Amino acid sequence: MKKVLIPTKLNAVARELLKDSGGYNVVHDDSTELKELAAQHPDTYALIVRSDKVTPEIIDALPELKVIVRAGAGYNTIDIRYARQRGVDVMNTPGANANAVAEEVVTLMLADARHVVQADVSTREGKWEKKTLMGRELTGKTVGIVGFGAIGRLVARRLAGFDIKLLTYDPVLSEDRAEEFGAELVDLPTLFERCDYISLHIPENDDTRGMINKDLAGRMKEGATLVNCARAGIINEDDLRAVKAEKNIRFLNDVYPKDAAGEKSVADIADLMMPHLGASTVEANYNAAKRAADQLMEYDEKGMSTYIVNRDVPEGLDEMYADLAYDLAHLARQWVGARNKLKMIETSVYGSLKPFSDWMIVPILAAVSEEFDRSMEAAAAREYLKDMGIDYNDRETDDTKNYGNTITIDLAANVDHGSLRRVSIRGTVAEGRLMISRIDDFDKLYFEPEGHAVFFRYEDRPGVLGQIGVALADHGINIDDVRNPHDESGKYSLAIMKTSSPVDQEIVDRIAGEIDAPYAVGITF
Ligand SMILES: NC(=O)C1=CN([C@@H]2O[C@H](COP(=O)(O)OP(=O)(O)OC[C@H]3O[C@@H](n4cnc5c(N)ncnc54)[C@H](O)[C@@H]3O)[C@@H](O)[C@H]2O)C=CC1
Ligand SMILES: O=C(O)C(=O)COP(=O)(O)O
C-alpha cells in the first residue's frame, strides 16, 4: 500500500476517499511538525499539503516520495525545482478554493468601505461614532482585477451585482474573452491609474515578485483601495508604504511572507488584516481535499496528470510528446556515448508539434544533461547550451514529407581525436504509446521506449542474434522482445532486445566486442 502523509488541516474526505479505495495507507496528523512527521514516515509516497512549506530537506527525508499534492492553488511554498530534480511531481488543485477567495475579496472591500471592524469595536466600547464612520459605496466604482484566472473571474462575477466598471490585466487573456466577462482588457499602468479598487490574483513567481512597485502604486488614484489575497511577495512593501502615506491608499491584506503567528511587517500600512483566510471556508476545504484525493488516485491510475505544475509542458502540447522528446534524447545520448562531450543537438519537429519545437529543448536537455532541471524555461535551456559550448539548431521542417506528428533528434559528440559520433532518432505517439520509428538508416522500427533494452549495430551475418541471446543468458538476463531490422543498404543489422532486467554497459561492451558491433547501447527508459 502506498503511504500518503497529510500533515495539515484538511477535510477528512481526502483521507476517507484514499482509504476506501483500498490502495493507500493514510497518515493524517495536523498537530505534529512536518519535519518530525517526515522523519517518522520515510516511506511516504505522496504528500498532501496546504500552505505548509515543503523544503529540499523535507523532500530528502522522504526517499520514496513520488508526488506532492497542494490542496489549493499557490505552490510557492513548495520547492518545485528541487522536487523536479528528485523526480517528484507536484500537483495543485486549481479552482477548488477560488470561490472562497472571491467572497473574501468582496467581504474585505465592503467591510473596509463601511468600517465594520472599527464600528464593532467602538460600539462595544459604548461609543456612538455615527458621524466619524461615514462610509463609501462599492456600487458604480471602477474595479481592476490583476490576474484573470479562477479567482479573478469569480471576483468579477460576484461583483457584477454592484454595477461596477470592470478592468482587467492578464497576459494570456484575449480582449474577446475579457469582454465575455464584461471586462475591459487594459495594460497594468492603465489599470492602476483608472481604478478605485484593485484586487491581485496572480501567483508569486520569479516574474511577479515585487511587481507592485513604486511606479505602479504611484499611479493609483487618491484614496483608492488595493486588495491582496494572492501572495505577499507580489508587492514591494516599502514602495507601497511610501505611496500610501502620500495618497491615502487603503490596503486590505490576507497574505504574509510566512504563515505564522507574530508581528506582521505590513501592520502599519494594512487597513484590514486577515491571517491568510482566503481558502478557509468549510466548502473550499472540502473541495480542495476531495480534489487532492481524486487527482492523486487518477495520477496513480494513469501515471500522469494535467495538474502537474513542475513539468512545465506548454498549454496545447500533449504531455506524451514531451516524454517522447525526453526518451529520444535519452537514447540518442547513450548512442553517442554518455561520457563523450556533446557538440551538437538538432531538432526537427513536424506536424502539429511545430509550434512547440522551440520548447522541446527543455525535455531534450533534461535527458542529455543531468544537471539541467526540466522545470526550467526554453530560454534558460538555450543559455545553458551556449555556456556548455553545444551547438543547437531547431531545423525548419517541411510537412510535405508526411512525417505526421514526429520529432527527430540528431546528436553529435566528440570521441577520441576530435572525431564526431552522430545519431539521428525519430519517434512519434501512436495509439496512445510512445514509439521510436527510426534510428539512423533503420526505418519503421515502431519500438516502444519502455523498460530495459539493448541495441547492437553490426555487419549483417547469420548467428549474431543467437550469440547475443546466449551472452545475455550467461548473465541471467531474459529477452522479452526482439527486433532485427536491416538498414537501407542491407549491409548492417540492428538488434533491439527488450530485457527482463537492466544490462550494465560493461556487459553490453563485452558482447559488442564479441560480435564486433561498433555501436552498442544498454538503456533503461
Ligand atoms: N488567500 C488565499 O487563501 C488564496 C490565495 N491564492 C493565490 O491566488 C493566486 C491565483 O489563484 P487562481 O486564480 O486560483 O490561479 P489561476 O492560475 O487560475 O490564475 C492566475 C492568473 O494569473 C495570471 N497571471 C500570471 N502571471 C501574471 C502576471 N505577471 N500579470 C498578470 N496576470 C498574471 C495567469 O495568466 C492566470 O490567469 C494563487 O497563485 C495563490 O497564490 C489562491 C487561493 C487561496
Ligand atoms: O490555495 C492557495 O493558494 C492558498 O493560498 C490557500 O492556502 P491554505 O490552503 O489556506 O493554506
Side-chain angles (χ1 to χ4, degrees):
M1 286 227 272
K2 290 172 169 164
K3 183 174 273 188
V4 181
L5 183 58
I6 310 180
T8 195
K9 192 163 169 49
L10 191 66
N11 191 291
V13 69
R15 182 176 71 219
E16 299 309 326
L17 281 171
L18 291 168
K19 277 188 179 164
D20 289 352
S21 78
Y24 301 91
N25 168 16
V26 184
V27 177
H28 188 178
D29 179 345
D30 64 12
S31 54
T32 309
E33 286 282 311
L34 175 53
K35 201 170 155 197
E36 207 174 305
L37 283 172
Q40 286 167 12
H41 302 283
D43 53 341
T44 295
Y45 159 81
L47 194 57
I48 302 184
V49 292
R50 286 180 62 185
S51 292
D52 317 79
K53 216 166 165 50
V54 184
T55 58
E57 291 70 38
I58 298 288
I59 295 171
D60 281 342
L62 303 172
E64 310 280 316
L65 191 68
K66 275 281 153 291
V67 54
I68 301 169
V69 190
R70 196 300 187 219
Y75 44 83
N76 55 311
T77 37
I78 302 170
D79 195 326
I80 58 166
R81 290 191 169 208
Y82 191 74
R84 182 75 276 136
Q85 278 172 25
R86 281 275 324 276
V88 176
D89 285 326
V90 180
M91 287 192 264
N92 67 349
T93 63
N97 57 22
N99 189 61
V101 185
E103 289 194 14
E104 183 191 48
V105 170
V106 182
T107 305
L108 288 174
M109 287 175 173
L110 290 173
D112 188 55
R114 302 304 291 269
H115 315 294
V116 170
V117 176
Q118 213 182 324
D120 179 76
V121 171
S122 79
T123 312
R124 273 174 207 285
E125 286 171 351
K127 295 179 190 163
W128 195 251
E129 294 194 319
K130 194 161 174 161
K131 281 186 194 152
T132 47
L133 293 177
M134 181 67 78
R136 283 288 184 107
E137 292 179 25
L138 185 54
T139 301
K141 297 293 187 302
T142 302
V143 178
I145 296 180
V146 181
F148 212 60
I151 299 172
R153 285 166 202 215
L154 274 173
V155 171
R157 280 178 61 187
R158 300 292 172 257
L159 287 179
F162 289 93
D163 300 326
I164 55 163
K165 162 86 185 141
L166 187 62
L167 305 188
T168 187
Y169 168 74
D170 188 314
V172 305
L173 192 71
S174 69
E175 264 177 39
D176 289 350
R177 193 84 182 104
E179 236 171 66
E180 283 172 31
F181 284 86
E184 182 187 344
L185 188 62
V186 293
D187 60 29
L188 211 44
T190 307
L191 187 145
F192 272 74
E193 280 159 17
R194 282 177 51 193
C195 289
D196 303 299
Y197 288 86
I198 297 166
S199 195
L200 307 175
H201 299 293
I202 54 178
E204 180 185 332
N205 54 37
D206 292 347
D207 294 333
T208 61
R209 210 159 289 125
M211 184 168 122
I212 312 306
N213 56 14
K214 207 164 195 166
D215 173 55
L216 280 177
R219 290 171 189 265
M220 286 175 75
K221 284 163 116 172
E222 176 78 26
T225 300
L226 179 66
V227 186
N228 188 8
C229 294
R231 284 295 179 266
I234 295 164
I235 295 180
N236 181 322
E237 204 178 296
D238 284 337
D239 286 359
L240 180 64
R241 184 168 284 110
V243 174
K244 182 177 162 94
E246 266 170 44
K247 291 202 163 184
N248 288 320
I249 303 260
R250 305 291 297 172
F251 177 45
L252 318 179
N253 187 57
D254 187 39
V255 282
Y256 307 86
K258 221 169 117 189
D259 267 18
E263 276 185 23
K264 301 286 171 284
S265 61
V266 282
D268 62 320
I269 51 170
D271 297 287
L272 280 176
M273 298 208 292
M274 308 277 272
H276 195 172
L277 287 184
S280 291
T281 64
V282 172
E283 294 84 349
N285 196 249
Y286 175 89
N287 287 343
K290 183 169 183 319
R291 280 274 300 280
D294 285 343
Q295 285 178 205
L296 176 59
M297 290 188 285
E298 196 193 16
Y299 168 87
D300 281 337
E301 229 169 74
K302 296 185 179 162
M304 180 44 64
S305 167
T306 50
Y307 298 108
I308 294 172
V309 297
N310 65 338
R311 284 209 191 164
D312 203 27
V313 174
E315 226 178 293
L317 174 65
D318 181 342
E319 179 101 33
M320 291 192 87
Y321 286 99
D323 291 340
L324 176 70
Y326 182 93
D327 281 346
L328 295 175
H330 180 41
L331 176 57
R333 182 70 176 114
Q334 306 304 310
W335 202 274
V336 295
R339 278 183 293 276
N340 290 335
K341 176 152 176 36
L342 207 56
K343 287 306 291 172
M344 187 272 302
I345 301 177
E346 190 168 270
T347 52
S348 312
V349 175
Y350 292 89
S352 66
L353 305 177
K354 266 188 176 176
F356 307 105
S357 68
D358 180 51
W359 179 83
M360 290 292 179
I361 193 61
V362 174
I364 291 171
L365 202 41
V368 299
S369 160
E370 273 175 17
E371 300 107 57
F372 188 76
D373 166 1
R374 194 168 162 165
S375 66
M376 283 170 83
E377 304 290 324
R382 284 192 300 271
E383 274 305 304
Y384 179 88
L385 286 170
K386 229 191 260 166
D387 290 347
M388 302 298 287
I390 300 169
D391 293 334
Y392 165 60
N393 180 22
D394 175 17
R395 279 186 53 218
E396 278 279 315
T397 53
D398 171 9
D399 273 340
T400 58
K401 284 186 173 168
N402 281 331
Y403 285 167
N405 299 327
T406 60
I407 303 168
T408 304
I409 296 174
D410 289 67
L411 292 192
N414 265 129
V415 280
D416 306 335
H417 315 302
S419 66
L420 284 179
R421 186 167 180 160
R422 297 170 176 278
V423 72
S424 176
I425 304 185
R426 186 162 69 223
T428 188
V429 175
E431 296 173 8
R433 289 164 192 275
L434 308 189
M435 293 285 169
I436 291 178
S437 54
R438 180 173 68 74
I439 301 175
D440 288 336
D441 290 338
F442 299 95
D443 220 343
K444 304 188 191 76
L445 297 176
Y446 302 111
F447 167 84
E448 205 178 341
E450 211 182 62
H452 320 290
V454 285
F455 297 74
F456 296 95
R457 179 182 182 274
Y458 57 93
E459 212 162 303
D460 188 40
R461 60 195 189 278
V464 176
L465 279 188
Q467 251 181 299
I468 300 171
V470 169
L472 288 173
D474 282 349
H475 290 94
I477 297 162
N478 232 339
I479 296 170
D480 294 339
D481 185 22
V482 182
R483 305 284 153 88
N484 191 211
H486 299 280
D487 72 349
E488 281 166 8
S489 69
K491 190 173 171 201
Y492 293 98
S493 278
L494 181 66
I496 306 175
M497 293 172 178
K498 285 210 169 177
T499 56
S500 55
S501 49
V503 187
D504 285 349
Q505 191 62 38
E506 208 183 301
I507 299 174
V508 174
D509 289 343
R510 207 173 314 139
I511 299 173
E514 285 164 18
I515 62 166
D516 195 18
Y519 285 82
V521 170
I523 193 169
T524 296
F525 289 105

